[in-house]
């Protein structure tokens, strides 16, 4: 039985329900009531595991996992070893999946710095085989759950992006909702209650083998420092299934906000509600906190959440201006993070060939500007371009080392002998000299353009002209 067949059956079941008030809110409480379960469950989903292990679905999952690459899990197997392993062991794995007896391996704990350097984010890296199975499950469950998700939910969904969320947020503010309730869910991925989440998955999935497999992935051990611990709550970030599960859980929040008539944008666990006044925003913050605690067993981080003007907060790395028709701009914290990342690269590039270093630098800059290309405030890009070129001139100045070498280098770049020697022997430090007129004349923007350096300002102007 194919995935499409199952989806078609579910759509046939949903057709009369839409006329009869399918979107009635679920009864309050941690788990859904029997009435709610009957209303949401999809007949025909008792055999979803067959759709998961279907050949075409597994081939698509295999291609996705291989293209994503990623680190090895606790078994040290990389994506290059996946194909030969499956050729030998897939029949046994498939049999266990269909029998409902497959047991995932523990995930490998990895910690990465959070944006801004405040603390560490804990990731769980599944084995490549478990990533394959999770991806296959994700491909089967997405068509069942995604069509019913809120239009204001943008994270980790097909044909939806952070850029769409930002444009929607700007429209909310332009429509007169000039206060934002910025919700921060306290340790969201670490605090997901397994029973609450599984009750939400069980609304549309009746295949007990698949439900059992998902719960086992939630409860898979975590290997850290050679020891395996068993989690009692949370869903580890790092697996293909985790983003979908987070959307399934937080869909209850989306539906509650829609029921109350709020305008909001949610990207994963980043939630911004747009309100008409500070007093109304404070009431919403308090009531939503109670709802999350009672219904989903989640808590709001009161220190990071706030009711403020949209231009005083950031959302997905952007902020906006105070104008009646606000404009998107890069947040100051995003600029700071980029500078900190580039400073580390510049320190490593002091003794390297400039052309090769610029090639590597370009990869970072292209990725950054592709994300922040929606910014309508251009001044920061011009400032960053100048700062980057000054850093590159600093590398050149340091590599010249001696006054004689610096004078000769400046003369080769077109400066007169007297000015070159005066500049080379001025006794100033590298940072001052690389912002001075002699280095700006010797190594102008045109020089760095020929070297292949990406101009952030030119890139964003080109994008906005094409769009």
């Amino acid at each position: 039985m194919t995935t499409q067949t199952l989806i078609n059956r579910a759509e046939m079941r949903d057709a009369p329900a839409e006329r009869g008030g399918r979107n009635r809110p679920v009864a309050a409480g941690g788990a859904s009531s029997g009435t709610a379960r009957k209303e949401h469950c999809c007949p025909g989903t008792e055999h979803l595991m067959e759709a998961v292990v279907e050949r075409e679905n597994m081939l698509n999952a295999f291609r996705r996992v291989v293209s994503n690459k990623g680190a090895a899990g606790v078994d040290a197997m990389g994506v290059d070893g996946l194909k030969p392993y499956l050729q030998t062991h897939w029949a046994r794995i498939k049999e266990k999946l269909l029998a409902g007896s497959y047991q995932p391996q523990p995930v490998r704990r990895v910690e990465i710095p959070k944006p801004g350097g405040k603390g560490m984010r804990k990731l769980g890296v599944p084995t490549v085989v478990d990533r394959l199975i999770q991806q296959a499950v994700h491909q089967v469950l997405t068509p069942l759950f995604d069509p019913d998700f809120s239009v204001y939910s943008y994270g980790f969904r097909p044909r939806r992006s952070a850029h769409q969320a930002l444009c929607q947020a700007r429209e909310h503010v332009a429509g007169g909702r000039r206060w934002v309730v910025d919700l921060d869910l306290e340790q969201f991925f670490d605090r997901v209650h397994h029973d609450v989440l599984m009750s939400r998955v069980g609304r549309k999935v009746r295949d007990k083998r698949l439900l059992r497999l998902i719960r086992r992935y939630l409860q898979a051990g975590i290997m850290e420092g050679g020891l395996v611990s068993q989690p009692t709550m949370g869903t580890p970030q790092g697996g293909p299934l985790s983003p979908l599960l987070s959307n399934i859980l937080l869909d209850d929040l989306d539906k509650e906000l829609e029921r109350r008539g709020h305008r909001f944008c949610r990207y994963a666990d980043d939630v911004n509600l747009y309100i008409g006044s500070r007093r109304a925003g404070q009431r919403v913050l308090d009531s939503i906190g109670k709802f999350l605690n009672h219904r989903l067993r989640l808590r709001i981080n009161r220190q990071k959440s706030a009711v403020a003007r949209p231009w005083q907060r950031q959302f997905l790395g952007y902020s906006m201006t105070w104008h009646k028709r606000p404009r998107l701009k890069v947040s100051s914290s995003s600029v700071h993070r980029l500078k900190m990342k580039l400073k580390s690269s510049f320190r490593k590039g002091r003794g390297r060939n400039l052309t090769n270093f610029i090639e590597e630098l370009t990869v970072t800059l292209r990725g950054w500007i592709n994300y922040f290309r929606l910014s309508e405030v251009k001044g920061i890009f011009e400032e960053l371009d100048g700062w980057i070129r000054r850093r590159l001139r600093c590398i050149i100045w340091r590599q010249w080392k001696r006054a004689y070498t610096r004078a000769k280098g400046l003369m080769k770049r077109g400066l007169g002998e007297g000015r070159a020697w005066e500049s080379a022997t001025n006794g100033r430090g590298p940072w001052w000299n690389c912002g001075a007129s002699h280095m700006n004349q010797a190594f102008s923007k045109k020089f760095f353009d020929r070297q292949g350096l990406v101009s952030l300002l030119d890139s964003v102007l080109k994008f906005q002209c094409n769009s």
Side-chain angles (χ1 to χ4, degrees), residues 36 48 101 116 144 167 191 196 214 224-225 241 244 249 273 345 355 375 377 406 415 427 430 436 446 448 457 462:
L48 281 178
S101 60
L144 290 176
C167 292
R191 300 187 67 88
V196 174
I214 294 173
E224 187 173 14
L241 200 52
L244 176 61
L249 180 64
L273 291 82
S345 299
T355 303
S375 175
V377 178
R406 289 169 179 169
L415 269 69
K446 290 183 178 179
F448 291 111
L457 180 61
K462 181 179 180 181

Side-chain angles (χ1 to χ4, degrees), residues 396-467:
I396 297 171
W397 187 264
R398 289 178 183 276
Q399 287 178 345
W400 280 345
K401 294 184 180 178
R402 297 183 302 162
Y404 175 82
T405 309
R406 289 169 179 169
K408 290 296 182 183
L410 290 172
M411 284 188 279
K412 285 182 181 180
R413 296 297 307 164
L415 269 69
E417 183 176 357
R419 188 181 178 202
W421 276 104
E422 181 182 356
S423 300
T425 57
N426 61 26
R428 300 276 191 168
W431 184 246
W432 185 93
N433 275 284
C434 295
S437 60
H438 53 271
M439 284 296 283
N440 275 274
Q441 180 180 336
F443 298 96
S444 64
K445 179 180 181 299
K446 290 183 178 179
F447 168 82
F448 291 111
D449 288 343
R450 290 194 296 269
Q451 295 294 315
L453 179 66
V454 173
S455 168
L456 301 178
L457 180 61
D458 292 349
S459 297
V460 76
L461 290 175
K462 181 179 180 181
F463 166 77
Q464 293 181 356
C465 286
N466 292 336
S467 61

Side-chain angles (χ1 to χ4, degrees), residues 317-333:
Y318 280 78
S319 185
M320 60 181 71
T321 64
W322 50 266
H323 299 89
K324 185 174 182 180
R325 178 71 185 178
R327 292 179 290 171
L328 293 174
K329 65 177 184 179
V330 184
S331 70
S332 57
S333 59

Side-chain angles (χ1 to χ4, degrees), residues 154-156 160-169 267 315-316 318 328 371 374:
Y154 295 90
F156 308 110
R160 285 179 168 260
S161 67
H163 286 172
Q164 292 173 330
L166 290 160
C167 292
Q168 182 65 73
Y267 192 94
F315 180 51
L316 302 178
Y318 280 78
L328 293 174
Y371 181 75
L374 292 185

